[in-house]
Amino acid sequence: PSVRFLLEGGILTAAAIALSLLGAPLHPILFLVILYLVTMRVRLLVDLSNVLTARGRFAAALAVQRFAVHLGPDPASRQIAEIARGVTQLRMGDPPSAYFTLRGVLLEERVRLAVRERAAGYYNLGVACERTSRREEAERSFRQAMEALPGSIYALGAEKALSRLLESTRRSSPPG
């Protein structure tokens, strides 16, 4: 867990103890709900932005992602929000912006992403590369998505995209 998570949890616990000592105890379930909402605020907003992106409400999704990043996320949550921004840019038909967003997140060495987020990031980076005529980088990204989480939806999508990419490369290159 991040230091920020521990600090936020500690502050909320101290506040709950203080309320109890002052004669206004907080119900344990309410405490857990508050703790969850505070510590998971950025990831919950990213989930909301993913729903908005899936429904084609790109401006609203980008606004929610910007808001999430302004709430002081830990480094891993910030990267997840940035990956979501890259996916939204890709879905709204802006592959160059998606390429730079996703590439920046995936090259950042400060925090190692969880395998699911890494697979999603590399798959979407591969799509952005393919759509911006960066074939070799698309191939590398698709392979990294497959290596990150074999058998996942991202790996399967990357495998299909890689096959399509290699087939189009074979068809466009002269024989011999």
Side-chain angles (χ1 to χ4, degrees):
S2 71
V3 173
R4 181 180 302 264
F5 176 79
L6 294 173
L7 183 63
E8 290 171 353
I11 290 170
L12 287 172
T13 302
I17 291 170
L19 283 173
S20 292
L21 293 175
L22 293 172
L26 193 60
H27 191 280
I29 299 297
L30 181 59
F31 170 74
L32 291 175
V33 168
I34 292 169
L35 181 66
Y36 178 77
L37 291 174
V38 168
T39 57
M40 298 299 290
R41 65 192 178 276
V42 173
R43 292 181 189 223
L44 291 169
L45 288 171
V46 167
D47 288 344
L48 173 61
S49 78
N50 290 340
V51 169
L52 292 169
T53 295
R55 292 185 178 181
R57 305 226 11 234
F58 304 123
L62 290 170
V64 169
Q65 292 159 5
R66 277 191 302 274
F67 179 62
V69 170
H70 283 80
L71 290 177
D74 61 282
S77 294
R78 177 179 293 280
Q79 286 181 302
I80 291 168
E82 292 297 320
I83 288 174
R85 184 166 60 102
V87 171
T88 300
Q89 291 167 333
L90 193 57
R91 296 274 310 267
M92 62 192 277
D94 189 4
S97 293
Y99 169 78
F100 289 110
T101 299
L102 293 167
R103 190 167 184 273
V105 172
L106 295 168
L107 292 179
E108 190 174 315
E109 294 290 327
R110 268 187 333 146
V111 175
R112 183 125 169 108
L113 286 166
V115 290
R116 181 177 172 270
E117 283 79 19
R118 197 166 52 245
Y122 278 115
Y123 168 74
N124 285 292
L125 177 60
V127 172
C129 289
E130 185 177 22
R131 291 182 186 171
T132 56
S133 302
R134 294 174 169 93
R135 296 174 83 83
E136 288 178 13
E137 193 172 352
E139 184 179 334
R140 279 193 309 274
S141 295
F142 288 139
R143 289 186 193 285
Q144 287 175 301
M146 293 184 314
E147 290 170 13
L149 192 59
S152 70
I153 191 167
Y154 305 110
L156 296 174
E159 189 175 335
K160 286 180 184 177
L162 184 59
S163 295
R164 183 181 65 241
L165 185 68
L166 294 175
E167 181 61 32
S168 71
T169 303
R170 274 193 287 274
R171 277 187 272 134
S172 65
S173 60

